[in-house]
């Protein structure tokens, strides 16, 4: 029989083993000794476009996430404020109920103003310096506004506009001599 050729009908053009290559194992070892050129890290246009789209999406979602986080913190602070105000309303309702009780009103009058009921005798301890000792209830002075409000100023101009104008005082002429 004739030796079979390495190429021909029924044979593929792909080489499967190192021995089937021309030159055999010797050419494979020769290639190992030669360093392969390293591929440089180049960005293709497709990679640049993909990176820019990813960065754009990241920036878009970051701003949306920041807005969501701010709104969430606003909601939490508003919920805390609602709870606080509900507690304040409950406290005020309790105070309102307490002030409808006559005994509480009498107690507050005794403590705050030093009042006594008819027929009772109130005592105050006076020290050697002549001052009342102990807890002395006093009334706070009413607050006086430091500046007039705008509507008070406006009403003042309305009141002044209805009055007769004052006669102007003419200063004496410095050239005339006063005689006595």
């Amino acid at each position: 029989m004739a030796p079979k050729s390495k190429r021909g009908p029924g044979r593929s053009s792909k080489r499967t083993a190192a021995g089937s290559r021309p030159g055999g194992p010797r050419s494979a070892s020769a290639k190992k000794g030669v360093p392969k050129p390293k591929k440089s890290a180049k960005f293709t246009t497709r990679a640049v476009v993909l990176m820019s789209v990813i960065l754009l999406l990241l920036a878009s979602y970051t701003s949306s996430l920041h807005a969501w986080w701010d709104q969430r913190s606003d909601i939490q602070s508003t919920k805390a404020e609602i709870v606080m105000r509900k507690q304040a309303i409950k406290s005020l309702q309790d105070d309102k109920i307490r002030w409808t009780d006559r005994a509480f009103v009498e107690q507050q009058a005794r403590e705050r103003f030093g009042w006594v009921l008819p027929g009772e005798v109130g005592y105050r301890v006076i020290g050697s310096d002549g001052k009342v000792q102990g807890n002395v209830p006093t009334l706070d002075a009413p607050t006086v506004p430091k500046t007039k409000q705008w509507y008070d100023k406006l009403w003042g101009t309305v009141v002044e506009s209805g009055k007769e104008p004052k006669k102007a005082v003419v200063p004496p002429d410095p050239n005339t001599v006063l005689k006595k």
Side-chain angles (χ1 to χ4, degrees):
M1 251 185 149
K4 293 186 180 180
S5 70
K6 292 187 178 183
R7 289 189 173 211
R11 299 245 179 212
S12 70
S13 62
K14 293 184 182 178
R15 296 181 186 141
T16 57
S20 66
R21 291 187 199 142
R26 188 182 69 166
S27 66
S29 65
K31 284 189 177 181
K32 283 184 181 178
V34 176
K36 292 184 181 179
K38 293 184 179 181
K39 293 183 180 179
S40 61
K42 293 183 180 178
F43 290 111
T44 62
T45 307
R46 183 179 290 173
V48 171
V49 169
L50 181 64
M51 295 273 285
S52 63
V53 168
I54 288 173
L55 287 175
L56 182 67
L57 287 174
L58 184 65
S60 172
Y61 289 142
T62 301
S63 64
S64 298
L65 185 65
H66 181 67
W68 174 79
W69 192 262
D70 284 345
Q71 290 173 353
R72 184 172 179 209
S73 66
D74 288 345
I75 289 171
Q76 293 298 325
S77 64
T78 304
K79 284 181 180 180
E81 185 180 350
I82 288 172
V83 168
M84 182 182 69
R85 294 207 178 187
K86 283 183 179 180
Q87 290 173 348
I89 288 171
K90 184 166 175 35
S91 173
L92 289 173
Q93 287 173 342
D94 290 344
D95 286 347
K96 182 181 174 184
I97 291 170
R98 208 174 303 141
W99 279 100
T100 58
D101 183 20
R102 182 172 173 82
F104 179 76
V105 173
E106 287 178 6
Q107 176 194 3
Q108 292 299 312
R110 288 174 187 264
E111 288 178 6
R112 292 184 182 187
F113 308 125
W115 289 3
V116 293
L117 289 174
E120 293 181 347
V121 178
Y123 293 99
R124 295 276 178 214
V125 178
I126 299 176
S128 61
D129 58 355
K131 293 184 179 179
V132 177
Q133 294 180 350
N135 187 8
V136 181
T138 58
L139 294 177
D140 295 335
T143 59
V144 178
K146 294 179 181 177
T147 60
K148 284 188 174 183
Q149 297 292 331
W150 66 271
Y151 45 82
D152 289 334
K153 291 179 184 177
L154 179 67
W155 187 250
T157 59
V158 171
V159 169
E160 287 295 320
S161 67
K163 293 182 180 177
E164 289 290 323
K166 296 179 181 177
K167 293 184 179 180
V169 177
V170 179
D173 188 17
N175 295 332
T176 60
V177 179
L178 294 175
K179 296 181 182 178
K180 289 191 177 184

